[in-house]
Amino acid sequence: MSDSAIGVAELAAIYSGLKAIKGEINVVSTQLDSVGQEVESTRSDLSRLEEAFLEFVESDKKAKELSLAETRQVKVRQELETKFGHYAEVRRQVTGILQAADISLVRQETIRFATEGLMLNAPRYWLAPALVALAGWLSNNKDLATKAVNEAVRRDDEKTSLFFALITRRAARANACSVWLGRYFGLQNPEKLDRQTIVLIDAVASGIFSTEVRASCAKTLDDWVQELSQRAGFVDEQRKQWTDALISKMPSTDNGGRYPHLKKYSLTWQKLSDSLNAVAIHAVALDYFQGIYDGAIPPSPTLAAAVDELLDKLVGNFDDQELPLRRNDRLYQLIIDENGDRNAAQSKFDLESKALDEHLSFTQLLTNAAMHPETSHASRATQRFAIALSKKWIKDAHGDLGAEIRRAVPTDTDISIEDWHGVTKDGDNEGDLARSLTEHLKKREADAVASIGLESQHWIALVVGIGCLLFVGKSLLFGAIGIGFLIWFYTSYSGLKKKRDKVSENYAKLGGEALQVVKACLAEVVEYRREFAKRDAAAPEFSKLLDGISPEQYVLHSHDKTRQIISR
Amino acid sequence: MARTLLPPQFPSLTSNSVTNSQPLLRAAAVEDRLRARRSNTYIEAMKRLDAGAHIHDRQALDKFLADIRREFPDIELQHLPLGIVARCYLGAPYEVHTLDQVGQIIDHYKRGESLPPLMERARSLSLYPGYAFVEVYVDKLIAVTEEGDTSIVKG
């Protein structure tokens, strides 16, 4: 009798112990769920942190490059000033002497004294003896002028010839101007011109030369084009030159701000963004060329003023010893313009680097004049002239580039959300993608739910519990233990449903969020296609602009009174 | 920079170059020739590809091939287009149609349906509204506008 009384008391204790265990298990289970959610949330925070860190590293790198470029540019300009600053003194004297001689305000001895001093200050510089020759000419000292001209020609024949062609034109010495120009042209090889030839083209385009000289120059330039055209592959080369020139104007914008979902969820995003930047070239080129042709170019008030401008350009910008420093200066300027993006600046520099080559073909000179006027020192009149001569090649290059851009734009856009991938062309297959996503998530949910089940220890507990109950007759303890195991089994079994419901709830939430992402991506694809088509629509406008350009537009009204009756 | 007076290579005179007439263009000039503006007759002929009846009409197909030959009389056979791809105006579900010189067929393709391998690369270009059609070559594509202007894409 006392044995069964002890058994009941122990049973009650065991039962309350098991109840406590069940409570503990429930608490642990809830804590595990919350740990799982914390892990997910931590993972997503980590991913955001990684993104933010990479963005920071990129912007820090750009800021450093920008600061370095600004510092280095200052150093390069200081070096230019130190090494070649004394040239500036010589250069200033050119227009100073001419303008003083115009109004006879300065004595000839003063001019002569000043120019002789330059010979001592600037050894090996061609402009110094040229100025001595000019001073000799002004003071009617033929011997001095002849000796100085010979020395200037010995130091730099081409620049001296062009210099005196402009000086003699300024002084209305038509024959002398023709002779000097003839000498200059005779020294030229149209495949390998010096950069200062742009000054000559400027002079032709601005109407500085007399009508006869201009006609003769225009014919020579035409002959150069014909001569170059005979070469195999020449026209292809022109198209490539113009294609490179157009590409150099392509923007490199980050479009991610306007298409955030595609940027985050599409593996095709980089190609899409590149294509959008590429197609922007049509509007950029249209604006650029319209800027060249819009409005009249105000002519200089007098011939002297026009020539002085060209002389300043000739003496100031084309000395080859300065070229390496000027190239560096240009690269640093591009890095500053691109806000520290060194790669973008380097690509632009490579495309326009031909503008700073020592020698280049006539047609490359024209391309540089039209597309990189700041670097090649071309006036707007020269740009118009250059474009008119190159119209056919520009049109071909632009047409080919447009076709290449249209071919390269991705027709299929990928959307990837975790391990699901979908593809859309124009964003109009929402139904198909939603179905595919739903099926994918259903399968994942089914796999996840299927993996929630009783494990081996639960089945062992069931078997042991039943086994113990069978021996309850021998001792109530067996019964208690058996019931304990069975209760534990039942608790675990009933907990399964709760877990499965939780999984289904999570997947339902994930499904809703994923569908929103898909819809947002599709909306962005529709917007992308619209924006691409809008930008592409500028292409025929550009072709129309080119078609409307006629050769006569490039020649400014001459300073001569006579007019040209037969045009090119 | 002074120029050299004598060119680096003199053209060599051989009996071939003196006695042979050269009705067909050399390869170097072929691309320039292919870049030339297309005639209105040719463009109109290619636009008629859209009429479905030509799929089964052998005579009409031969006429198309003859139209291509007539447009390029001075170009050797291996430099002629392999085929034409153009946007299909028959309406959905058709997207593009092709004229295949090699297989000598005209076909209409639905959206999502693949074209023959060499023609597939011209598909996206042919859908651009500014092009009347795209000529497919071994090593390039030439897109032709309604006015006959051409643009070349290599590859």
Side-chain angles (χ1 to χ4, degrees), chain B residues 18-151:
Chain B
V18 167
T19 58
N20 285 358
S21 61
Q22 305 281 348
L24 299 175
L25 293 173
R26 293 192 186 282
V30 164
E31 191 168 298
D32 278 344
R33 172 63 183 88
L34 289 175
R35 196 180 271 281
R37 217 177 169 137
R38 301 292 183 265
S39 65
N40 285 338
T41 328
Y42 176 70
I43 293 175
E44 289 308 315
M46 290 306 116
K47 276 158 78 167
R48 282 198 302 276
L49 279 171
D50 224 346
H54 295 297
I55 291 174
H56 303 296
D57 187 339
R58 185 72 228 179
Q59 260 188 331
L61 176 61
D62 288 343
K63 187 180 175 311
F64 278 121
L65 300 177
D67 285 333
I68 293 176
R69 200 72 193 85
R70 205 175 303 120
E71 182 69 12
F72 308 108
D74 47 351
I75 293 184
E76 293 172 9
L77 204 59
Q78 71 264 29
H79 295 303
L80 287 178
L82 298 172
I84 307 286
V85 181
R87 174 190 278 252
C88 197
Y89 289 96
L90 291 180
Y94 295 106
E95 191 179 56
V96 291
H97 59 251
T98 61
L99 162 60
D100 187 337
Q101 278 222 79
V102 174
Q104 306 241 311
I105 50 168
I106 297 171
D107 240 324
H108 296 259
Y109 291 84
K110 295 179 186 158
R111 204 171 176 205
E113 210 180 330
S114 295
L115 271 59
L118 276 177
M119 306 285 224
E120 183 65 39
R121 58 201 170 102
R123 188 185 205 133
S124 58
L125 210 51
S126 67
L127 293 174
Y128 172 62
Y131 297 138
F133 54 88
V134 177
E135 294 167 358
V136 178
Y137 297 77
V138 170
D139 57 346
K140 57 183 165 285
L141 304 172
I142 298 185
V144 182
T145 65
E146 294 273 345
E147 294 77 32
D149 292 325
T150 55
S151 301

Side-chain angles (χ1 to χ4, degrees), chain A residues 397-521:
Chain A
H398 175 256
D400 289 358
L401 186 60
E404 183 57 55
I405 290 168
R406 284 167 204 126
R407 197 191 43 169
V409 68
T411 42
D412 291 338
T413 303
D414 161 89
I415 303 174
S416 299
I417 304 172
E418 293 185 15
D419 56 344
W420 177 79
H421 295 282
V423 170
T424 183
K425 283 189 189 302
D426 296 325
D428 56 357
N429 57 336
E430 184 183 325
D432 292 337
L433 289 179
R435 265 191 297 280
S436 158
L437 178 66
T438 307
E439 275 168 29
H440 176 83
L441 288 175
K442 269 201 177 122
K443 186 171 176 311
R444 259 180 62 175
E445 183 188 339
D447 290 344
V449 161
S451 70
I452 297 172
L454 293 171
E455 287 160 45
S456 48
Q457 62 263 31
H458 299 114
W459 296 110
I460 291 169
L462 176 68
V463 165
V464 166
I466 292 171
C468 285
L469 281 178
L470 290 173
F471 285 101
V472 69
K474 287 242 169 110
S475 166
L476 279 176
L477 186 59
F478 279 119
I481 292 169
I483 287 171
F485 274 114
L486 287 176
I487 289 172
W488 187 62
F489 173 82
Y490 176 73
T491 309
S492 304
Y493 178 76
S494 60
L496 285 182
K497 183 169 183 318
K498 192 174 160 200
K499 281 188 190 163
R500 286 180 186 133
D501 287 346
K502 185 79 184 152
V503 162
S504 296
E505 190 187 308
N506 287 342
Y507 268 95
K509 190 174 161 203
L510 178 63
E513 286 168 0
L515 197 58
Q516 290 310 312
V517 165
V518 166
K519 284 182 179 174
C521 285

Side-chain angles (χ1 to χ4, degrees), chain A residues 239-261:
Chain A
R239 280 196 283 269
K240 173 140 193 347
Q241 253 165 229
W242 280 101
T243 304
D244 285 347
L246 287 169
I247 290 173
S248 75
K249 301 285 181 198
M250 254 184 216
S252 49
T253 327
D254 176 9
N255 297 296
R258 284 173 299 124
Y259 300 95
H261 290 89

Side-chain angles (χ1 to χ4, degrees), chain A residues 68-117:
Chain A
L68 208 56
E70 281 168 347
T71 312
R72 284 176 176 165
Q73 190 183 48
V74 167
K75 274 176 81 173
V76 157
R77 287 183 177 177
Q78 275 172 357
E79 200 177 328
L80 269 169
E81 179 59 38
T82 313
K83 283 190 175 158
F84 304 104
H86 55 293
Y87 284 9
E89 198 192 323
V90 182
R91 289 163 183 165
R92 274 195 295 273
Q93 302 243 355
V94 173
T95 38
I97 290 171
L98 291 170
Q99 285 168 5
D102 282 346
I103 46 182
S104 310
L105 265 186
V106 177
R107 287 175 302 167
Q108 287 168 358
E109 292 78 29
T110 313
I111 294 176
R112 187 176 154 175
F113 180 72
T115 54
E116 283 170 3

